[in-house]
Amino acid sequence: MSGPKTCSFLCSRREVFFSMAELLYRLGRLSARRAWLFIISWLAVLGLAGAAFAVFGGTLSSTMTIPGTETERVADELTEQLGDVGGISATVVFGSEDGSAFSAEQQGDITDALAELTSQNNVSDVIDPFETNAQRDDQAQEIMDGREQIDAGKQQLVDGQAQLDAAATELEAGQTQLDAAIEQAQAAGFYEASVDQFDAQQAQIDAGLAEIDTQQATIDENTALLAEQEEQLGFGERLMDAASEISLVSTDGATALGLITFDSELLDIPGDTKTAIADELDAIDIDGVTVDYSSSITTSTDGLLGVGELIGVLLAGIVLLVLFRSFLPATLPIVSSIIGVGVGVAGSLAFSGVVDMTSVTPILGVMLGLAVGIDYTLFIVQRHRRQLAAGMDLHESIGLANGTSGNAVLFAGSTVLVALLALNVSGIPFLGVMGTVGAVCVFISVLIAVSLTPALLALLGKRVLSRKARANIGHESHTLPPARAMRTSRAVVMLIVATLGLLIVAIPALSMRLGLPDGSSEPADSTQYRTYTTIAEEFGAGQNGTLLVTATLPAPVAEEDELETQADLADQLLAVDGVVAVAPIGVSDSSDYFAFQVIPVDGPSSESTGALVHELRDSSPLAGNIELGVAGSASGNIDISEKLADVLPLYLAVVIGLSLIILILVFRSLLVPVIATAGYVLSLLAAFGAMVAVYQWGWLGALFGVTDPGPLLNFAPIIIMGVLFGLAMDYQLFLVSGMREAYIHGVPAKAAVMSGLRSGRAVVTAAAIIMIAVFGGFVFSHLAIVRPLGFGLAVGVLFDAFVVRMMLVPALMHLFGKSVWWLPRWLDRILPSVDVEGSALERSHPMHAADPHDTSDGAAPAAAAPESSER
């Protein structure tokens, strides 16, 4: 009973995966026969996607936020309590070309130029640096005048008190004299006769004393009032001193900062508004004055492809030309990938009106769409070329290539999809959207590869081969000789060199810091870089990373005590290590909520600023149960980076777990998945190490356009982790599946390693070089935020394809021998049979030789072989 049941179960498993390969085979032949129908259909889909984007596409965000962070909580609280004081602003830097102070005429022109910006949409106000500085000077002068007035008042009170004391002394002397006269009159017996005179004198003295008491009360009252005014003035002086390092005009008067405030968050501002503001700023023409502006204005989502990206695609084309030795087949993967990218990216962006997307979201889709689109098409085209060169009929070869390599492409694409969609488990919305858009582009690339590629191959016919190859169709030179096992000593050397090399490159990853790029990471000749560096040089690096600090009191304070409370809080904040200046920016109507602008010592991406944010938060509550909150762009970047760093281990565990399960399923082995996964981790760590060395340490910075090293792009590691996983599994599949196939067909285990390596390394090498070229093109992107992402992916593919898959994995599989394919019987029985290479289909459709000069359609596919032949 158990035998038939087992046979039925195994047969059903085979039929499921055989049917997928058969389905792709039939799809390939259908596409080849109806080539123009498929081509026109995909072009129509491309047009519909473009039209949908044009009609329904919304604004892409230039900021990245994570719901639930402390920064977002404080920002919402600020908006609720004080309005838009925490809103985003843009900075315009005006500089004197000759380094001299601005003339009165230049100051007037700058003021007028800034005032004209208020006519732009979404601009709520413009802060004039000269007017603001004049107001500060006036306030300082008022305090000085007030101090002089108080000092003068004190002197007047001192003089008045002295006069009053003298009068009181005189009255006391008069009283003494009167008392003595009365006493003498009484002794002489003529008091009664002089009593009226004595009473008059006493009344005069009493009136004088009463007047002195009145004047003393006035002096005491004025002294108290003056003391109160002096105290309030002291509070003002303390606040002025706390904010003394904050200025909009440099000390030499040659640099001025204009601030543009918006009536909504920057992510809600349309790109055309920012472009209009940038155009108006570029058009400012003031004699002897330069104009630069911050990255918040220059940040744009226009132009998904720049010169660097196009060069990357061009290099991919050159690789294909070298591989195929023919122009037409070399263009086929490029054309199909561009169509796939157009459909995937435009289709995804059509939903940007209802889903929040960042400016980097479509870039990831372009990267992956180009890279995997070219590679997946390459795998099918190369399989078809090899079959056609061996003498197979044209349409049969197209169908079989689609059913075998296309099946592998389908599986490989599925691994990438899983890795990208798993980004949604991070709980970080913008990252999940990026992963989803990337997955959509990969999915479209897979569909293009298995449906459009056969149609294009049919149009090319035998021109998919070079002239020399067409002349030798069916020649035995197209068959590889049997492989021989590598020497064990060579395997040991490869293992040691590969492992040590990757570990050494990975060392810098131990000091990896995460953050978002600021103006210092932009090209040195860009306006945003000049703005950032000018502010740092003339006003202090901390003014590029201003923090917003709030203080919530347990109970409201009286209106007359607000200034004292502000001064006390400002002094406490100024005493914190790493704070340069503190300025009050608002008090709530209930007088229990105070907000301050805090300027740190260093810029927003520095370690000291991160430490300052933590120290401020850890110091809460202050004495008196005063709760502190910290917000601002620098604080937000820190929160996002830390949240992403916390998610990394979980995501890595998910990816590694998926890797082990998928590879056990595919290769029916326990050691192969462990080797593959360990190799993936090594290449991932090496990629991180290389990124830290270049972008954080600044090694080879001039080569890669790194002007000022800083922390790594905070979401780059998790993106690279997911994408590299999918690509690593692709290369593992296309190399090791050939080894397994050879081993199953009786080739000794160690010889099977070399057999699979020889049969697959040419196409994997080309695919990896293409990946590196495409990703490498983004290293020199016009968008600074994209560069480390492209670098990490390019280096990761380099390490994984050429060091891990072609050195480390073959060496370990050779050393383990046939034990590498061991799988417990109980596990073998329950695992489904995954024929990713379509071997069953290949056996069911044996080669149909064709006349080399025959361009007609091939014979119909042979009938499927009986089930027993599969066993």
Side-chain angles (χ1 to χ4, degrees), residues 92 123 256 350 482 490 614:
V92 184
V123 174
R490 180 187 173 195
H614 288 296

Side-chain angles (χ1 to χ4, degrees), residues 320 324 329 332-337 371-383 409 445 448-450 452-454 456-457:
L320 291 169
F324 293 152
L332 194 150
I334 303 290
V335 170
S336 60
S337 68
V372 303
I374 293 173
D375 275 7
Y376 291 165
T377 302
L378 167 64
F379 292 142
I380 295 174
V381 172
Q382 184 68 354
R383 179 64 176 257
V409 163
S445 296
I448 289 277
V450 299
L452 181 61
T453 300
L456 296 175
L457 288 174

Side-chain angles (χ1 to χ4, degrees), residues 154-166 215 219:
K154 281 183 176 180
Q155 187 59 48
Q156 288 178 357
L157 289 173
V158 169
D159 294 342
Q161 186 67 54
Q163 292 174 1
L164 200 62
D165 291 342
Q215 291 181 11
I219 288 176

Side-chain angles (χ1 to χ4, degrees), residues 116-191:
E116 290 179 4
L117 294 174
T118 56
S119 62
Q120 293 289 343
N121 293 332
N122 302 109
V123 174
S124 60
D125 192 16
V126 173
I127 298 177
D128 177 10
F130 305 109
E131 180 183 349
T132 303
N133 245 38
Q135 291 174 353
R136 285 195 56 184
D137 291 342
D138 290 343
Q139 290 173 353
Q141 187 61 48
E142 286 176 5
I143 289 177
M144 290 178 62
D145 294 343
R147 175 62 65 186
E148 291 177 359
Q149 290 172 5
I150 287 174
D151 291 341
K154 281 183 176 180
Q155 187 59 48
Q156 288 178 357
L157 289 173
V158 169
D159 294 342
Q161 186 67 54
Q163 292 174 1
L164 200 62
D165 291 342
T169 301
E170 184 178 348
L171 286 173
E172 288 174 0
Q175 183 69 55
T176 301
Q177 292 175 357
L178 179 61
D179 291 340
I182 292 173
E183 186 177 351
Q184 290 176 358
Q186 288 175 341
F190 56 83
Y191 173 75

